[in-house]
Amino acid sequence: MTTTAMALLLTWPLETGHRVILAECDPDGGAILPGALEGTLGNTHGLRNLALAGRQGQLAEAFWRQLVDVTDASSRDRLVLPGLYDPAHASSMGPVWEQLARMFTGVEEHRHDVLVDLGRRGAFGPSAVLAQRADAVVMVARNTLRGLQSAEVRMTALREQLGGATEIGLVLVDRGPFSPEEVQKHLHAPVVATMPWRPGEAEVLSDGASQPRKFESGELMRAARTTTAVLRQMVAARRARLGPPVSRGQVNSGAR
């Protein structure tokens, strides 16, 4: 999931003066600090540092100090909130999830979009409020038998959790034999996009590997750009149903 989330972060279309944030909110622990950031920041930034600030009523101020620029240009328009480095710290985050949900909902005032990586379990339990408040929820799954069996269980639970209030889409990682039409029919959920299986390109996003030639124009990043367009359409459609349309959105993503 984190690989797909990073691809979306780096390809999310931005208007002048706008920014996008990827918040790694997986209670099982984050992968970006040791992966894409190659451990260069240690534990100096991230979600864990917001727990104390949240209890002191200072989360809004502390939040912005925890964001990390992941672009070579240091433009601070594509930012990451790294996740927990130790899953044991999830127990201290209980009151913080609700505060983060409120902040993400209102962050448009700062001209920021928010992508939330909830991992496999984050859409359930105390952090589920992040999914419940999202404009769009997508589950990332490989189209293998094992991947789809896992996705079916989680899809059923996610529908119960959200109560039909939010449409759930599927992003397929094309690793297996099942077509989008077969997956859609079996899981009763729309396949909104397909990402190619490109391990060499994916390692740039998951482990900070050196970029291969023409990485930015490669198949993985091209698919990510297409996916961002679809997700923005999902957000716009939901907001049009609920009230006066506005320009931006928050997306929560499920498990890969």
Side-chain angles (χ1 to χ4, degrees):
M1 174 56 241
T2 302
T3 301
T4 301
M6 283 292 294
L8 296 177
L9 171 70
L10 296 177
T11 56
W12 195 262
L14 294 176
E15 300 169 6
T16 301
H18 282 78
R19 296 171 180 169
V20 58
I21 299 168
L22 170 58
E24 198 179 22
C25 296
D26 184 350
D28 288 331
I32 292 177
L33 275 175
L37 297 176
E38 301 180 89
T40 54
L41 294 177
N43 301 322
T44 60
H45 290 70
L47 197 60
R48 175 68 178 87
N49 298 330
L50 295 180
L52 178 59
R55 290 195 295 271
Q56 296 176 338
Q58 299 174 353
L59 184 139
E61 295 80 4
F63 174 80
W64 303 102
R65 296 195 296 269
Q66 298 305 315
L67 301 180
V68 179
D69 189 346
V70 294
T71 64
D72 293 334
S74 298
S75 57
R76 293 196 65 81
D77 57 4
R78 299 182 189 275
L79 302 164
V80 166
L81 174 64
L84 300 172
Y85 57 86
D86 185 343
H89 294 155
S91 60
S92 68
M93 293 294 297
V96 179
W97 299 122
E98 173 66 34
Q99 295 178 57
L100 279 174
R102 291 198 303 267
M103 184 167 186
F104 292 162
T105 301
V107 79
E108 292 171 344
E109 297 177 4
H110 301 277
R111 297 188 296 180
H112 286 58
D113 292 340
V114 182
L115 311 174
V116 182
D117 179 1
L118 287 172
R120 293 181 180 275
R121 294 193 307 116
F124 312 99
S127 54
V129 64
L130 295 169
Q132 294 163 356
R133 302 280 181 84
D135 285 305
V137 175
V138 295
M139 179 178 291
V140 182
R142 297 177 185 177
N143 59 344
T144 62
L145 181 59
R146 184 163 64 102
L148 295 181
Q149 285 178 334
S150 176
E152 183 176 21
V153 172
R154 287 177 170 79
M155 181 66 71
T156 299
L158 192 56
R159 285 198 181 100
E160 293 176 357
Q161 179 76 37
L162 298 179
T166 302
E167 181 180 0
I168 306 168
L170 282 165
V171 173
L172 288 186
V173 178
D174 194 10
R175 180 73 171 94
F178 300 103
S179 69
E181 292 76 19
E182 291 174 307
V183 172
Q184 188 164 286
K185 182 177 180 180
H186 181 69
L187 296 182
H188 307 289
V191 175
V192 299
T194 300
M195 299 288 287
W197 177 254
R198 293 292 181 269
E201 296 175 38
E203 284 182 356
V204 176
L205 305 173
S206 63
D207 296 287
S210 299
Q211 291 190 11
R213 288 187 60 200
K214 299 182 179 179
F215 171 74
E216 293 292 339
S217 60
E219 189 173 359
L220 178 63
M221 298 302 275
R222 291 203 310 270
R225 291 185 183 92
T226 300
T227 303
T228 63
V230 173
L231 296 181
R232 285 162 58 89
Q233 290 171 4
M234 290 176 65
V235 170
R238 179 178 185 270
R239 292 190 168 191
R241 291 195 304 269
L242 296 179
V246 290
S247 59
R248 313 303 290 176
Q250 173 188 338
V251 177
N252 285 351
S253 42
R256 170 177 177 176

